[in-house]
């Protein structure tokens, strides 16, 4: 019976100790210089190799800043010899300190400046994060003082310095100011947002945000009676907007105390974290009895009361969505070139030479550039008929694509800017029964910028597709394809001062089946079409690195894809003196009926698990395209297509160009597309002279840059 009780006790103990929130764990106390008997603030440089302690001597009204070297980043146990600077000539009772983003400005909040006024001192540092000249600067008046506030005790800024926050103790109000000039308190607006639900018998002593602005912390010390110290933990639905804050409640109702037995009768003040290491350490100061800087380990990032819920972080959600969106769009963008090829074959079925080469495209991606230069087949001359026969009737083609898309911001997910570039190479052959079969290789690159803090997804892919277009009568065709893609992704999740990195591989199987029938009136063709796309993507598990307590472990993810579409193509043929001109318009409605995907992940630090569900639910889209084919009598074949894929929350614009022209081995055209700049080049060699004609134009600028250049050089 005793054994059973012991086993039961062990099981209960393990259960509650693995499921309960551990909270802060005491690590070390750092004792600043004796001159500071009221320690009010603490911050670190970004690398954690320097700690800055702020305090004052109560009886003499003397204020000090101590710069403490740390041999181990963010470890108060590794503190070296400090450099103490007295700044009494500027401020008498300094309360909090903060740096700007590059360490060239130090802000010191005071309740009693040298002129007995409340406000902020701004010190300009000649060397970033070097406070060794503060005393001389204070004595010489080399600082700026901005007077305002009512007994201010806590100070912070948002990540880019466009917002400033001041905790007013006497009025028990937290104020949010907009700054017209970043990190310049003198440019604050006159009507700040306020948070006034801070009442109680407490001194409001410290304040700060998480690096991404989704958490806010307010420090309180009891005014009378027992020394109860409180750190309030707030979640914000909009980063750095205090009017969206909601208090995290604990089991006892509202608050938590982090007072450790090692320090009695303490009253805590300033608060900070090891931001660049993932915020898995907490530091605060005791300004009443012990006059310490206290260091705690946290079970997870900012885990004073609760861990950060990544499913409430819009950038985290958008990053997961971006992967799912990119996977589904990869199927679309891989099948489109093959479908374009089959449409082109039907529009030009009477041509002897079916080789259709796209213009060379200049991509931002170096790998794609190399492919365009090395893999374009050498079947471009005007006497292609002989070369086609020599190659057993195979026709060769290529297609370059650039797509620009944007998904707007929602209540739960940040905006996403999507840029896709790709090059596709293909070869096909017509059988005796008039069936065209082929194979296509696609190399693609997707760049997705998430939110405004620098989060991003860079995805490269290689796809292999087998396709067939089979006639069912004179104008009726069945198109089908099947293929596989191999994916590699680099992910960056940037929350401001902390950035995590991850690498993720994936595989994809996909297919497409389409039916179309063409009805002709004179030279006007009307082609209704029905299409089904299907596929499945597997993303492997991966682990983030770079931020310790913020690192997440992602589980395997499976993303299904099933879309059906109904549309039509209109085209007309015009016989011109220079050749044949075929304009066309393509309209397509498609429904995304893909099953909802989910992504499971957990914190690497404590294993706390989360799940994002209903990723990319079914949507209804309109795909419209306009373009033309031009086949000239002198051997030029040109195909262009502009497309817009539009849904209620998403849009993508694509531009495709195809060219078949090279009347000699010494003459060719090249089109370059890079960002919003276009460049068209013509090169020819004539009678020992090399002729180069270049032109460029920017389509998307209000005042576009454009030009035309001619270069003639001797080839000898």
């Amino acid at each position: 019976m005793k054994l059973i009780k012991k086993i039961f006790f062990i099981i209960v103990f393990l259960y509650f100790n693995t499921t309960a929130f551990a909270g802060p764990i005491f690590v070390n106390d750092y004792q600043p210089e004796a001159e500071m008997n009221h320690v009010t603030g603490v911050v670190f440089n970004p690398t954690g190799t320097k700690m800055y302690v702020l305090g004052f001597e109560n009886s003499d009204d003397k204020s000090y800043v101590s710069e403490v070297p740390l041999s181990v980043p963010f470890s108060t146990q590794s503190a070296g010899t400090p450099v103490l600077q007295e700044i009494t000539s500027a401020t008498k009772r300094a309360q909090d300190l903060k740096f700007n983003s590059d360490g060239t400005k130090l802000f010191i909040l005071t309740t009693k400046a040298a002129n007995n006024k409340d406000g902020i001192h701004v010190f300009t540092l000649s060397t970033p994060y070097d406070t060794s000249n503060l005393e001389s600067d204070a004595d010489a008046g080399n600082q700026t003082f901005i007077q305002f506030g009512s007994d201010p005790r806590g100070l912070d800024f948002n990540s880019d310095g466009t917002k400033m926050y001041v905790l007013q103790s006497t009025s028990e109000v937290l104020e949010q100011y907009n700054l017209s000039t970043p990190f310049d308190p003198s440019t604050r607006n006159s009507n700040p947002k306020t948070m006034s639900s801070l009442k109680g018998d407490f001194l409001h002593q410290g304040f700060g945000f998480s690096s991404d602005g989704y958490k806010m912390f307010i420090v309180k010390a009891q005014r009378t009676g027992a020394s109860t110290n409180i750190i309030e933990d707030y979640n914000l639905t909009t980063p750095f907007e205090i009017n969206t804050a909601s208090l995290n409640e604990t089991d006892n109702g509202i608050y938590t105390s982090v007072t450790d037995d090692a320090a009695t009768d303490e009253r805590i003040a300033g608060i900070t974290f090891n931001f660049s290491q993932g915020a898995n350490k907490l530091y605060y100061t005791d300004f009443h009895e012990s006059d310490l800087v206290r260091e705690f380990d946290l079970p997870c990032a900012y885990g004073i009361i609760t861990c950060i819920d990544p499913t409430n972080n819009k950038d985290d959600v958008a990053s997961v969505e971006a992967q799912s969106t990119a996977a589904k769009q990869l199927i679309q963008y891989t099948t489109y070139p093959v479908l374009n090829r089959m449409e082109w074959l039907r529009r030009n079925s009477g041509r002897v030479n079916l080789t259709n080469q796209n213009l060379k495209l200049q991509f931002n991606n170096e790998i794609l550039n190399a492919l365009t230069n090395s893999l374009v087949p050498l079947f471009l001359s005007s006497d292609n008929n002989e070369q086609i026969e020599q190659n057993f009737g195979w026709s060769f083609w290529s297609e370059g694509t650039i797509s620009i898309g944007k998904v707007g911001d929602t209540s739960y997910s940040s905006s996403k800017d999507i840029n896709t570039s790709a090059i596709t190479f293909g070869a096909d052959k017509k059988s005796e029964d008039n069936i065209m079969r082929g194979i296509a290789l696609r190399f693609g690159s997707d760049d997705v910028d998430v939110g405004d803090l620098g989060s991003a997804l860079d995805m490269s892919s290689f796809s292999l597709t087998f396709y067939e277009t089979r006639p069912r009568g004179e104008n009726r065709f069945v198109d089908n394809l099947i293929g596989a893609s191999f994916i590699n992704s680099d992910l960056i999740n940037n929350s401001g001062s902390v950035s995590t990195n991850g690498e993720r591989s994936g595989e994809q199987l996909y297919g497409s089946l389409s039916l179309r029938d063409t009805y002709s009136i004179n030279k006007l063709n009307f082609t209704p079409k029905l299409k089904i796309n299907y596929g499945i993507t597997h993303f492997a598990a991966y682990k983030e690195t770079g931020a310790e307590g913020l690192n997440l472990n992602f589980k395997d993810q499976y993303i299904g894809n099933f879309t059906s579409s109904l549309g039509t193509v209109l085209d007309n043929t015009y016989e011109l003196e220079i050749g044949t001109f075929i304009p066309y318009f393509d309209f397509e409605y498609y429904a995304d009926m893909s099953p909802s995907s989910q992504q499971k992940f957990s914190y690497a630090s404590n294993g706390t698990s989360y799940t994002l569900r209903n990723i990319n639910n079914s949507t209804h889209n309109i795909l419209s395209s306009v373009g033309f084919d031009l086949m000239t009598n002198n051997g030029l074949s040109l195909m262009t297509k502009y497309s817009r894929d539009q849904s209620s929350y998403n849009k993508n614009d694509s531009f495709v160009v195809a060219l078949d022209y090279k009347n000699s081995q010494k003459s060719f055209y090249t089109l370059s597309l890079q960002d919003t700049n276009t460049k068209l080049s013509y090169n020819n060699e004539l009678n020992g002279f090399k002729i180069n004609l270049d032109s460029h134009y920017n389509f998307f600028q209000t005042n576009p840059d454009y030009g035309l250049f001619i270069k003639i050089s001797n080839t000898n």
Side-chain angles (χ1 to χ4, degrees):
M1 191 69 173
K2 291 182 178 180
L3 180 61
I4 295 175
K5 288 183 177 180
K6 288 182 179 180
I7 294 173
F8 176 77
F9 174 80
I10 292 172
I11 293 174
V12 172
F13 177 82
L14 290 175
Y15 174 79
F16 283 103
N17 280 274
T18 53
T19 58
F21 184 79
I25 301 173
F26 174 75
V27 175
N28 185 56
D29 284 333
Y30 172 78
Q31 184 71 64
E33 292 88 331
E35 288 87 343
M36 291 186 284
N37 62 12
H38 286 65
V39 184
T40 54
V42 58
V43 294
F44 295 85
N45 68 341
T47 60
T49 57
K50 291 182 180 181
M51 177 175 66
Y52 307 85
V53 183
L54 180 72
F56 62 90
E57 203 285 321
N58 188 35
S59 60
D60 295 332
D61 278 346
K62 293 181 178 181
S63 290
Y64 302 89
V65 174
S66 178
E67 180 179 307
V68 186
L70 304 176
S71 58
V72 178
F74 296 104
S75 173
T76 59
Q77 295 172 293
S78 70
T81 303
V83 178
L84 187 67
Q85 298 286 302
E86 183 180 345
I87 54 172
T88 306
S89 55
T91 179
K92 297 179 179 180
R93 293 192 177 185
Q95 297 294 330
D96 202 0
L97 76 167
K98 290 290 187 298
F99 289 97
N100 67 343
S101 57
D102 62 5
T104 58
K105 287 185 178 181
L106 174 64
F107 305 89
I108 294 181
L109 189 71
T110 179
T111 58
K112 193 176 183 181
N115 55 8
N116 291 320
K117 302 293 184 179
D118 297 341
I120 296 176
H121 293 274
V122 184
F123 290 85
T124 299
L125 307 180
S126 56
T127 303
Y129 300 102
D130 182 2
T131 61
S132 59
N133 295 319
L134 279 187
E135 185 168 354
S136 59
D137 287 340
D139 293 341
N142 295 334
Q143 44 83 34
T144 303
F145 178 70
I146 299 98
Q147 178 185 341
F148 73 99
S150 173
D151 194 19
R153 300 293 181 100
L155 173 69
D156 207 356
F157 298 86
N158 69 339
S159 54
D160 62 4
T162 57
K163 299 181 187 295
M164 181 180 71
Y165 309 83
V166 180
L167 183 64
Q168 310 281 6
S169 183
T170 299
S171 58
E172 299 180 312
V173 169
L174 176 63
E175 297 174 332
Q176 174 182 319
Y177 295 89
N178 292 328
L179 306 182
S180 57
T181 301
F183 294 105
D184 185 352
S186 66
T187 65
R188 69 191 185 279
N189 63 315
S190 59
N191 296 307
K193 295 180 181 179
T194 61
M195 181 177 174
S196 57
S197 56
L198 308 177
K199 305 296 183 182
D201 188 27
F202 291 93
L203 290 168
H204 298 84
Q205 289 292 141
F207 168 77
F209 283 102
S210 62
S211 57
D212 61 1
Y214 282 98
K215 271 189 175 292
M216 180 177 75
F217 305 93
I218 296 178
V219 175
K220 297 181 177 181
Q222 195 163 348
R223 293 178 183 271
T224 60
S227 292
T228 300
N229 297 285
I230 294 168
I231 299 179
E232 292 182 328
D233 179 335
Y234 293 82
N235 290 333
L236 284 74
T237 56
T238 302
F240 298 105
E241 287 292 334
I242 63 174
N243 57 1
T244 69
S246 60
L247 183 65
N248 276 316
E249 297 188 0
T250 59
D251 293 338
N252 64 1
I254 299 178
Y255 307 119
T256 188
S257 175
V258 295
T259 302
D260 188 82
D261 293 338
T264 60
D265 199 27
E266 68 174 356
R267 289 182 178 175
I268 63 178
I271 182 174
T272 192
F273 302 87
N274 59 332
F275 294 106
S276 62
Q277 287 189 344
N280 59 354
K281 282 183 175 293
L282 163 70
Y283 310 83
Y284 65 73
T285 62
D286 171 24
F287 76 102
H288 185 59
E289 291 289 339
S290 303
D291 305 313
L292 302 169
V293 176
R294 317 210 68 203
E295 176 185 343
F296 294 81
D297 282 339
L298 300 177
C300 55
Y302 306 103
I304 299 175
I305 299 177
T306 62
C307 296
I308 289 181
D309 186 351
T311 63
N312 293 330
N313 186 307
K314 295 173 66 174
D315 281 6
D316 286 342
V317 173
S319 180
V320 174
E321 288 184 339
Q323 297 178 63
S324 298
T325 299
K328 297 173 74 172
Q329 289 186 342
L330 177 59
I331 294 178
Q332 286 183 298
Y333 294 152
T334 303
T335 58
Y336 281 167
V338 178
L339 296 174
N340 289 338
R341 168 64 175 174
M342 290 188 281
E343 291 178 3
W344 187 89
L345 288 171
R346 281 186 288 275
R347 287 197 301 267
N348 302 276
S349 58
R351 299 182 69 207
V352 176
N353 178 18
L354 296 178
T355 294
N356 179 27
Q357 297 294 336
N358 281 21
L359 285 80
K360 294 181 182 179
L361 298 178
Q362 182 68 37
F363 297 106
N364 292 331
N365 186 288
E366 294 182 0
I367 297 176
L368 296 184
N369 277 332
L371 291 171
T372 58
N373 294 327
S374 62
L375 295 184
V376 173
L378 301 175
F379 301 95
L380 299 175
S381 67
S382 59
D383 58 348
N384 253 343
N385 295 343
E386 294 182 8
Q387 294 184 342
I388 289 174
E389 293 177 0
Q390 295 173 3
N391 286 277
F392 310 101
W394 286 91
S395 300
F396 299 88
W397 60 277
S398 63
E399 180 174 301
T401 305
I402 293 178
S403 176
I404 303 172
K406 183 176 180 66
V407 180
D409 183 88
T410 68
S411 60
Y412 58 88
S413 177
S414 301
S415 62
K416 295 174 280 291
D417 291 305
I418 307 170
N419 296 279
T420 300
S421 55
I423 184 73
T424 304
F425 304 98
D428 42 45
K429 181 180 179 181
K430 185 180 292 186
S431 66
E432 295 181 356
D433 51 1
N434 211 29
I435 299 174
M436 181 70 76
R437 296 183 178 93
I439 184 173
L441 301 177
R442 179 187 185 271
F443 303 86
S445 174
D446 292 83
D447 298 321
V448 184
D449 295 325
V450 176
D452 301 320
L453 297 178
S455 297
L457 163 68
D458 295 328
M459 190 177 80
S460 58
S461 59
F462 164 73
S463 304
L464 177 65
T465 306
F466 299 92
Y467 61 92
E468 176 188 85
T469 179
R470 184 183 293 266
R472 289 289 189 246
E474 184 177 355
N475 295 312
R476 187 176 300 150
F477 293 88
V478 178
D479 299 336
N480 61 87
L481 60 88
I482 189 170
S485 296
F486 303 92
I487 306 167
N488 188 70
S489 302
D490 293 323
L491 300 108
I492 300 174
N493 192 355
N494 197 335
S495 62
S497 61
V498 178
S499 180
T500 63
N501 299 273
E503 294 184 8
R504 195 176 203 182
S505 60
E507 307 84 33
Q508 186 178 77
L509 295 175
Y510 56 88
S512 179
L513 176 66
S514 62
L515 307 174
R516 62 183 66 225
D517 196 357
T518 300
Y519 302 90
S520 300
I521 302 176
N522 295 325
K523 295 183 179 182
L524 177 65
N525 298 316
F526 171 70
T527 306
K529 56 182 180 178
L530 174 67
K531 182 173 65 178
I532 296 174
N533 286 336
Y534 50 90
I536 186 169
T537 304
H538 167 251
F539 281 132
Y542 77 100
K543 298 179 179 180
E544 292 182 334
T545 60
E548 296 191 7
L550 284 177
N551 292 332
L552 296 171
N553 294 341
F554 286 79
K555 305 295 184 182
D556 289 63
Q557 183 185 9
Y558 291 90
I559 304 167
N561 185 80
F562 184 81
T563 62
S564 62
S565 66
L566 182 66
T568 185
V569 180
L570 291 174
D571 67 81
N572 202 352
T573 302
Y574 297 92
E575 299 296 338
L576 309 176
E577 291 184 4
I578 61 172
T580 303
F581 179 69
I582 307 177
Y584 59 90
F585 173 74
D586 194 339
F587 178 85
E588 187 176 330
Y589 162 79
Y590 72 91
D592 186 348
M593 298 174 288
S594 306
S596 297
S597 177
Q598 66 178 24
Q599 176 67 74
K600 296 181 178 181
F601 48 94
S602 61
Y603 276 109
S605 57
N606 65 354
T608 306
S609 299
Y610 304 88
T611 302
L612 275 177
R613 295 181 172 86
N614 302 320
I615 303 172
N616 295 331
N617 283 329
S618 303
T619 58
H620 301 275
N621 295 55
I622 299 294
L623 178 63
S624 57
S625 306
V626 61
F628 65 85
D629 295 344
L630 176 64
M631 286 73 66
T632 67
N633 299 327
N634 62 1
L636 172 67
S637 297
L638 175 66
M639 187 272 281
T640 67
K641 178 187 264 187
Y642 169 78
S643 302
R644 166 159 289 191
D645 192 348
Q646 181 79 52
S647 71
S648 59
Y649 69 95
N650 182 20
K651 67 177 182 181
N652 284 284
D653 294 310
S654 301
F655 181 59
V656 177
V657 180
L659 178 69
D660 176 14
Y661 183 75
K662 191 174 183 182
N663 59 2
S664 73
Q665 296 294 326
K666 300 179 180 181
S667 176
F668 61 94
Y669 292 86
T670 303
L671 177 68
S672 298
L673 302 175
Q674 187 166 0
D675 297 328
T676 61
N677 296 303
T678 66
K679 180 181 178 181
L680 179 64
S681 300
Y682 169 74
N683 296 273
N684 198 1
E685 189 175 319
L686 182 65
N687 297 328
F689 288 92
K690 183 180 291 186
I691 301 173
N692 177 252
L693 177 66
D694 288 327
S695 64
H696 68 270
Y697 192 85
N698 192 313
F699 287 99
F700 300 96
Q701 289 185 350
T702 306
N703 298 307
D705 177 38
Y706 57 90
L708 178 66
F709 306 93
I710 299 177
K711 180 181 178 181
I712 301 176
S713 58
N714 195 326
T715 60
N716 297 326

